[in-house]
Every structure is written in C-alpha cells, then in structure tokens.
Amino acid sequence: MIKDSLQTSGAEFWLPLPFVAIAFWFGTNTLMAQELRQPQLTETRLQADTQLKATVSINILLINATVNRQQGVTQVEVQTTEPILKRLELELPMTDANQIEAAIAQELQLSLQDVRQLVRYEIVE
C-alpha cells in the first residue's frame, strides 16, 4: 500500500535524490581537496617582463615627417590604404634625417629605400 502510493506520486524517484546529491557533493569535495593538496609541477614558466610584438602588413601611401628642431622631436604621420588603420602617428626623439628614416624603417618593417621614397619632410624652426 505505501509502496503503491509512493510509485503513483513519483516520490519513489524524488525521495532518494537529496541523498544522491549529498553523496555526490562529498565525493567531489574530497577529490577536489586531494587535487589541490598535490604540488603542480610546471615545465614552462610565465615571464611578466616580456612584451609581445605584433607585425601587420599594410600598404603605405605617404609618410609625413614634421621635424621640430627646437624641441628635438619629429612627428611622423603614416597614411595607409587600409580601412581599419587609415593613419598611424609616431613621435621620434631625433631630428637627423638619416636617423629618422632608420627609425621609421625599423618601426614599420620597411627597407630604407622604401622609406626614402615615401617620406616627405616639413621642418619647423
């Protein structure tokens, strides 16, 4: 009689469910505690002092360099054909044309000859 009423109400399924959940919780808690107590040996270590340098290939239209000799800096504006990166600006702490071209070539991953063909100078006294 009691068994029939448990079957018809569905309690035969639902009554043991909290006990199964508690057993599952204790089991996973024990496994997690054991895993956390074990030392983890890592082969590779992270270095926080390194910087990631990304290189992107872009088509350059023009390089405008405004040389300010009083302040000793050069403002460089690079115009590209890319829809995402239309303009790139750099500030270089130099006023010598050879140094500027070398710095631009290094920054943009271009040859000195390509930079010399693309760069236009404006000198501000």
Side-chain angles (χ1 to χ4, degrees):
M1 174 125 150
I2 294 177
K3 191 173 183 182
D4 291 336
S5 66
L6 286 176
Q7 280 181 339
T8 56
S9 68
E12 186 176 74
F13 172 76
W14 293 107
L15 280 177
L17 199 58
F19 298 112
V20 171
I22 290 171
F24 181 76
W25 183 76
F26 275 120
T28 56
N29 195 18
T30 304
L31 286 173
M32 183 178 64
Q34 285 178 351
E35 187 65 30
L36 290 176
R37 272 186 245 139
Q38 294 178 359
Q40 300 293 325
L41 302 175
T42 57
E43 295 284 329
T44 58
R45 294 197 167 99
L46 292 177
Q47 292 182 346
D49 60 346
T50 60
Q51 292 183 354
L52 178 65
K53 187 167 187 174
T55 57
V56 178
S57 176
I58 56 175
N59 293 324
I60 297 173
L61 289 174
L62 181 66
I63 300 173
N64 288 324
T66 305
V67 180
N68 190 329
R69 290 190 176 158
Q70 284 182 332
Q71 295 179 356
V73 296
T74 301
Q75 298 287 334
V76 179
E77 182 181 315
V78 181
Q79 294 177 0
T80 71
T81 60
E82 304 300 319
I84 295 173
L85 180 64
K86 288 273 188 196
R87 202 173 85 195
L88 177 68
E89 293 181 357
L90 305 169
E91 183 174 289
L92 304 173
M94 57 196 70
T95 58
D96 180 54
N98 291 329
Q99 290 177 341
I100 293 168
E101 290 167 356
I104 293 170
Q106 182 180 4
E107 189 70 31
L108 299 178
Q109 306 280 321
L110 294 173
S111 69
L112 274 174
Q113 184 178 2
D114 290 341
V115 171
R116 287 183 180 136
Q117 289 176 352
L118 294 168
V119 71
R120 304 292 179 259
Y121 290 100
E122 179 186 343
I123 298 176
V124 178
E125 294 293 331

